[in-house]
Amino acid sequence: MIYALIGEDRPDSLEARKAVRSEHLARLNELKDQGRLLMAGPFPAIDSPDPGPAGFTGSLVVAEFPSLADAEAWLAEDPYTRTGVFVRTQVRPYKKVLP
C-alpha cells in the first residue's frame, strides 16, 4: 500500500538538516531503487523553491510499504527523525487516484 509520511521540522532546523541530509537522501534512494518511492521533498519555509536561510518546515515522502507499521518504522529510523530535525511525524495511508 502507499503511505504519506510527513515530518514537521523544529524551528531553526536548517543546519541540523544539512548535517544528516546525505544519510536521509541515501535512504530515499534505496526506496527509489526498489521502485517504491513515488515522490519526496521538503516544504520550503517561504514561497520559493530555494528558501535559503529561511530553510524548511518539514518534508513529505510518498512511498509503498508492506504495512502501516513498516512505514512508521521506516520514518522512525529516518535521520531527520532520529536527530530531532522532525519534532512531529505522521504516517497516513494514501490512495493515488491521478494521474
Side-chain angles (χ1 to χ4, degrees), residues 5-82:
L5 291 69
I6 303 162
E8 183 180 331
D9 281 26
R10 65 176 168 84
D12 301 316
S13 64
L14 187 58
E15 293 306 313
R17 266 182 170 267
K18 289 179 182 178
V20 294
R21 184 172 187 264
S22 63
E23 186 182 348
H24 170 75
L25 291 177
R27 295 181 82 241
L28 289 171
N29 278 314
E30 287 178 17
L31 288 177
K32 179 183 165 203
D33 293 345
Q34 295 167 2
R36 297 169 43 203
L37 181 66
L38 279 73
M39 67 177 168
F43 300 116
I46 60 173
D47 189 14
S48 171
D50 182 7
F56 302 93
T57 61
S59 295
L60 169 67
V61 174
V62 180
E64 292 183 36
F65 290 92
S67 69
L68 177 62
D70 289 322
E72 290 171 333
W74 188 92
L75 185 54
E77 289 301 315
D78 187 82
Y80 289 169
T81 304
R82 284 187 298 99

